[in-house]
Amino acid sequence: MCGIITHLSLNVNSRITPQVCQDLNDLLTHRGPDDAGVFLSDDVALAMRRLSIVDLCGGHQPLSSADGRYTIVFNGEIYNHHALRGDLEAKKFVFRTKSDTEAILNAYIAWGKDCLKYLNGMFAFSIWDAKAKTLFVARDRLGMKPLYYAQDPNRIFFASELTPIVKSKFFDLRLNLKAISDYLSYWYICEPDTIFENVHQLPPGHFAFIENGTMRIERFWSIPSGKEEVMSFEQARDSVHALLKDAVGSHLGADVPLGTFLSGGIDSGLVTAIASQQAKGRIQSFGIGFKDKSYDETVLAQMTADRHGIDLNVHIMEDISPALIEEIIGAFDEPLGNASYVPAYLLARAARSKLKVVLTGDGGDELFGGYPTYQAPYYQAMWHKTPHFLQNIIRRRVAAMPVSHQRISLDFRLKQLMQGIDADYKRAHCTWRQVASLSAQERLWYGDIYQKLGGYDPFTVAARYFEEAKNLSTINQLMYVDLNTYLLNDHLRKVDRMTMAHGLEARLPFMDYRMVELAMRMPAQHKVDLFKTKKVLKAVAKDYLSDQVINGKKKGLTSPIAGWIDGPLKEYFSDVLKGGIAAQLFEPNEINRLLSEHAAKQKDHSRILWALLTLQVWHRKHIG
């Protein structure tokens, strides 16, 4: 696990010096505190910061082939690199290290771009061919590892995070108003866009090939979106079970101690339980506890730990403070609104004090139907059969419910449900995840700036993926969209940034591409129905977890932001939302109205206020 940069000069005058390359590379030290390396040759500069996990002594990068023709920098882990090494040795390749980096390099030498189909892991890498003067850059299938790029007539610059691109001052960066609109809608910026108009992310499952100054980007893998296969529930259960055991086993390969994140839920519980059976020794798990018991899952997490002989380290969520918020937001290279980054940051910090690697349960919800929104088509069908007079009574009563600042309260759920209940299932799905509606955004933006958006609708992003998934059943369509939006842009980004802020590697067995292919070929009825979510995964869990855990109420890693804004952070919010990027883009009177109504519990505006705070603090820290 590392941070990488790649700079390709398109003319002699744009070449960078070793010192500039090193300085930009050092901006990624948090991602790789153990080692650093720089390679410069003619028009290319490669650099990396290393977190040493595999082949601690021999894994230094950049790594060149024996003849010096090819040089690679690589961020991530290749879980099948031992098998890949065997295949390459059969082709007479000689290895000088035990690293997965060399396995990628030799695979590229052997198979060119087709090497990507042999790689199972999370990765972002660049390979320079000094003879052909070509650059090959690739990103893993699901986008677990980030890779940004910017280009102009002088250069093409790739980096694991936005920060080196911003701090280089090579480009005249312009804020992307449509990306900010997406962010206000969903708490995240949608790939391949970024907060800047002229910076992008290499899409997941794509590679870039640069020759003679021209870059072409091609897809090498995509999430299955064809019709589901016919399989019995028992077949689905057994296939998931076997593949999950295989994925967890492959994710345990490391030359340093590793552990797991463990909540009170099914996904992390399954990963932890299976890991405890396959690991060489007793593993450690890490969980976050809350003083407010409505947020706390440590009792259920302890049940799983006790059942499998696991040492559970619980970090109790500390009191929130402006200093802590500023510290955490400073770890993001672009804004992310999901306030679960607060406990995620603290959990990663606690784990890093003892380990370098953790396995997590991320992805299980999006693959196997863990959210109530996947049951929504059933709810909508029932709603449409309800007489109009009764619908109107329900609407009035929901609107009249007093606002609560408790954890994802009933009034919040019902009011959010009512917002999308009459829309078609595609628009409704996005509405139920929505932070700020189009009408709310129109009130928030300055009028002249809002006009520049030209009527842009953030639903456009999801609509593209719904079109791609049109041959899937309705519920699997929802999961396909979430894999390409919510999981990619929110969860995976949060996991990467919050763990790498502490030099901690997070591995995600559910994101094994074979598991994704299996889940998206599986009939939706094996995952969700009107009464149950995550059906097939719960069936697998019966062999590993207690009934209390399997049937426990889903909580997730949620922060009590409504209470924070109305409590210990009240003055901070009022002060920090003045001036800065907020005053440049948004109506101050509208921000004040949101704050006032929230404080009076007239409405719960916590999610949009948190989005504004994160954007404001991020901009101040990174842009100034």
Side-chain angles (χ1 to χ4, degrees):
M1 188 66 66
C2 312
I4 62 173
I5 65 172
T6 300
H7 182 280
L8 183 64
S9 302
L10 302 182
N11 56 60
V12 174
N13 295 329
S14 62
R15 291 178 178 176
I16 62 174
T17 65
Q19 187 61 54
V20 169
C21 188
Q22 180 177 313
D23 290 345
L24 294 174
N25 190 39
D26 286 346
L27 295 171
L28 301 174
T29 298
H30 55 282
R31 298 185 71 91
D34 296 334
D35 191 15
V38 171
F39 170 88
L40 285 92
S41 176
D42 298 328
D43 294 327
V44 73
L46 307 176
M48 67 88 64
R49 294 287 324 192
R50 185 183 182 214
L51 180 65
S52 303
I53 303 295
V54 174
D55 193 7
L56 305 184
C57 298
H60 178 77
Q61 297 183 43
L63 177 68
S64 296
S65 58
D67 61 4
R69 175 175 174 175
Y70 301 94
T71 302
I72 184 174
V73 286
F74 158 56
N75 167 30
E77 297 288 348
I78 304 301
Y79 302 121
N80 65 330
H81 73 97
H82 290 297
L84 189 58
R85 175 187 297 263
D87 293 340
L88 290 163
E89 286 175 336
K91 290 179 171 290
K92 308 304 181 185
F93 278 87
V94 176
F95 283 76
R96 294 166 291 148
T97 76
K98 296 180 180 179
S99 68
D100 48 354
T101 306
E102 191 174 14
I104 298 174
L105 183 61
N106 284 338
Y108 180 72
I109 296 170
W111 299 304
K113 67 180 182 181
D114 288 340
C115 71
L116 296 168
K117 66 185 181 183
Y118 298 103
L119 304 181
N120 187 352
M122 51 181 181
F123 54 82
F125 64 81
S126 299
I127 297 177
W128 171 247
D129 182 340
K131 181 179 179 180
K133 303 297 182 185
T134 59
L135 184 68
F136 181 75
V137 184
R139 188 176 178 206
D140 68 67
R141 295 170 177 84
L142 278 305
M144 289 177 278
K145 291 295 98 186
L147 193 60
Y148 294 86
Y149 70 93
Q151 60 181 327
D152 63 16
N154 298 310
R155 70 190 86 235
I156 304 175
F157 187 21
F158 293 88
S160 291
E161 293 183 7
L162 269 176
T163 307
I165 296 175
V166 173
K167 299 297 183 183
S168 73
K169 301 189 184 301
F170 293 152
F171 306 95
D172 180 20
L173 300 179
R174 303 179 301 275
L175 283 177
N176 185 340
L177 296 182
K178 289 184 178 179
I180 296 175
S181 181
D182 289 341
Y183 169 77
L184 295 175
S185 289
Y186 304 126
W187 262 355
Y188 52 75
I189 292 166
C190 298
E191 294 195 21
D193 290 342
T194 74
I195 191 71
F196 300 110
E197 287 184 355
N198 47 342
V199 183
H200 305 279
Q201 291 209 57
L202 185 65
H206 283 69
F207 68 82
F209 187 77
I210 305 164
E211 185 176 25
N212 297 325
T214 299
M215 178 166 66
R216 76 171 193 269
I217 295 175
E218 295 183 18
R219 181 191 293 272
F220 69 88
W221 183 86
S222 58
I223 297 170
S225 58
K227 291 183 178 180
E228 294 93 337
E229 295 181 1
V230 176
M231 65 178 78
S232 69
F233 184 83
E234 290 72 24
Q235 288 174 321
R237 178 200 60 204
D238 293 346
S239 296
V240 170
H241 191 188
L243 188 48
L244 186 58
K245 288 194 292 184
D246 184 75
V248 170
S250 68
H251 282 61
L252 290 173
D255 295 332
V256 296
L258 49 72
T260 71
F261 283 164
L262 178 60
S263 70
I266 295 172
D267 304 338
S268 64
L270 268 173
V271 169
T272 298
I274 294 172
S276 72
Q277 294 181 352
Q278 299 190 18
K280 294 178 181 178
R282 187 180 177 96
I283 67 168
Q284 293 193 68
S285 292
F286 296 83
I288 193 85
F290 291 85
K291 296 174 184 177
D292 183 341
K293 296 304 178 185
S294 67
Y295 288 81
D296 191 75
E297 293 185 302
T298 55
V299 172
L300 294 176
Q302 192 64 58
M303 287 183 184
T304 300
D306 291 344
R307 178 167 178 158
H308 295 280
I310 295 162
D311 296 322
L312 177 61
N313 301 267
V314 175
H315 176 84
I316 300 300
M317 176 76 188
E318 60 197 63
D319 292 337
I320 199 67
S321 69
L324 179 60
I325 295 298
E326 299 262 336
E327 176 186 339
I328 297 173
I329 295 176
F332 282 105
D333 53 331
E334 65 178 331
L336 179 68
N338 190 338
S340 65
Y341 61 63
V342 177
Y345 180 90
L346 299 175
L347 181 59
R349 185 174 69 185
R352 185 60 176 91
S353 67
K354 296 186 178 182
L355 299 170
K356 276 189 176 182
V357 182
V358 291
L359 276 62
T360 83
D362 291 280
D365 285 320
E366 291 79 8
L367 291 174
F368 296 104
Y371 301 124
T373 48
Y374 299 140
Q375 295 173 297
Y378 295 105
Y379 302 151
Q380 281 193 298
M382 295 169 61
W383 174 260
H384 293 323
K385 294 177 182 178
T386 303
H388 287 297
F389 80 91
L390 188 54
Q391 289 182 356
N392 292 332
I393 292 173
I394 294 171
R395 289 184 208 277
R396 289 195 296 270
R397 296 208 172 167
V398 169
M401 292 179 72
V403 173
S404 168
H405 286 174
Q406 297 300 308
R407 177 193 169 278
I408 313 179
S409 58
L410 178 62
D411 70 283
F412 173 82
R413 289 173 184 262
L414 291 177
K415 289 173 181 177
Q416 197 78 356
L417 177 66
M418 287 296 104
Q419 286 189 37
I421 196 68
D422 289 320
D424 72 273
Y425 71 93
K426 300 174 186 178
R427 176 74 71 165
H429 182 67
C430 295
T431 300
W432 288 322
R433 291 200 181 280
Q434 188 172 261
V435 176
S437 65
L438 283 174
S439 59
Q441 287 200 41
E442 186 174 4
R443 292 192 299 270
L444 185 60
W445 291 93
Y446 280 122
D448 59 334
I449 297 179
Y450 186 73
Q451 291 300 315
K452 293 179 181 179
L453 286 167
Y456 173 70
D457 183 355
F459 176 69
T460 303
V461 177
R464 180 172 73 249
Y465 294 116
F466 272 116
E467 178 61 24
E468 289 180 7
K470 62 186 177 183
N471 291 322
L472 289 170
S473 63
T474 297
I475 292 174
N476 271 338
Q477 284 183 42
L478 304 182
M479 296 180 200
Y480 181 91
V481 171
D482 282 353
L483 286 168
N484 282 286
T485 56
Y486 181 59
L487 180 73
L488 172 65
N489 300 307
D490 188 309
H491 279 354
L492 295 185
R493 195 169 301 170
K494 176 188 68 179
V495 169
D496 177 81
R497 302 309 194 276
M498 295 296 89
T499 54
M500 294 310 296
H502 304 287
L504 177 72
E505 175 174 294
R507 299 179 175 182
L508 291 66
F510 278 109
M511 291 289 92
D512 185 305
Y513 76 94
R514 299 169 299 165
M515 184 70 78
V516 176
E517 290 176 344
L518 171 62
M520 295 312 295
R521 294 196 307 266
M522 186 182 299
Q525 65 265 27
H526 294 341
K527 308 176 192 180
V528 175
D529 61 28
L530 175 61
F531 304 103
K532 291 182 180 180
T533 58
K534 230 183 252 185
K535 292 167 61 179
V536 74
L537 215 54
K538 288 178 179 178
V540 173
K542 288 181 180 180
D543 291 337
Y544 298 95
L545 306 175
S546 67
D547 289 341
Q548 294 98 313
V549 171
I550 295 172
N551 300 314
K553 185 178 180 181
K554 183 176 181 60
K555 294 184 178 180
L557 197 62
T558 310
S559 294
I561 57 174
W564 285 349
I565 297 171
D566 192 34
L569 297 179
K570 187 172 184 177
E571 291 185 8
Y572 173 63
F573 263 77
S574 180
D575 291 340
V576 82
L577 289 180
K578 296 174 181 175
I581 190 67
Q584 295 173 37
L585 299 178
F586 309 121
E587 292 279 1
N589 290 338
E590 179 63 12
I591 294 176
N592 290 334
R593 183 187 69 82
L594 295 173
L595 287 167
S596 297
E597 289 185 356
H598 184 82
K601 290 190 176 180
Q602 294 173 334
K603 291 185 179 180
D604 182 355
H605 293 306
S606 58
R607 298 168 80 226
I608 183 59
L609 287 170
W610 198 269
L612 292 172
L613 173 86
T614 302
L615 176 64
Q616 179 85 325
V617 175
W618 169 84
H619 190 272
R620 188 178 65 212
K621 285 183 171 292
H622 291 276
I623 308 302

